[in-house]
């Protein structure tokens, strides 16, 4: 969340980001605390590939939200 907070401090109109859908409530809570408007622009499936040898599957689909934070 620190990265998003810094982006919002630097932005003039809006910040867009991707978040795991499972974290939506936390993201919305933080936006309310920061008095920032939040809109879920799209709900998407993202194919996340294995990045370490310890990963058992080659890839996994995760649900993500394309989010717009605005003032």
């Amino acid at each position: 969340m620190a990265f998003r907070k810094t982006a919002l401090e630097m932005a003039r109109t809006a910040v867009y980001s991707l978040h795991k859908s499972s974290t939506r409530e936390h993201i919305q809570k933080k936006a309310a605390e920061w008095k920032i408007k939040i809109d879920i622009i799209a709900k998407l499936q993202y194919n996340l590939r294995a990045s370490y040898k310890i990963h058992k599957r080659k890839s996994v689909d995760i649900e993500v939200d394309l989010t717009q934070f605005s003032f």
Side-chain angles (χ1 to χ4, degrees), residues 2-58:
F3 179 79
R4 286 166 204 89
K5 180 79 168 160
T6 300
L8 287 164
E9 290 170 359
M10 297 173 66
R12 293 187 179 155
T13 57
V15 171
Y16 295 85
S17 64
L18 290 172
H19 303 276
K20 278 184 73 175
S21 296
S22 63
T23 64
R24 185 181 304 147
E25 286 184 28
H26 176 70
I27 303 291
Q28 290 172 327
K29 179 181 171 185
K30 285 297 188 182
E33 286 177 17
W34 298 338
K35 297 177 176 56
I36 299 293
K37 183 181 175 193
I38 182 172
D39 290 311
I40 308 301
I41 305 246
K43 298 174 186 177
L44 310 163
Q45 291 285 327
Y46 180 78
N47 184 281
L48 183 62
R49 294 184 183 182
S51 50
Y52 298 103
K53 290 182 179 182
I54 61 169
H55 290 153
K56 294 180 175 133
R57 293 185 264 170
K58 289 185 178 182

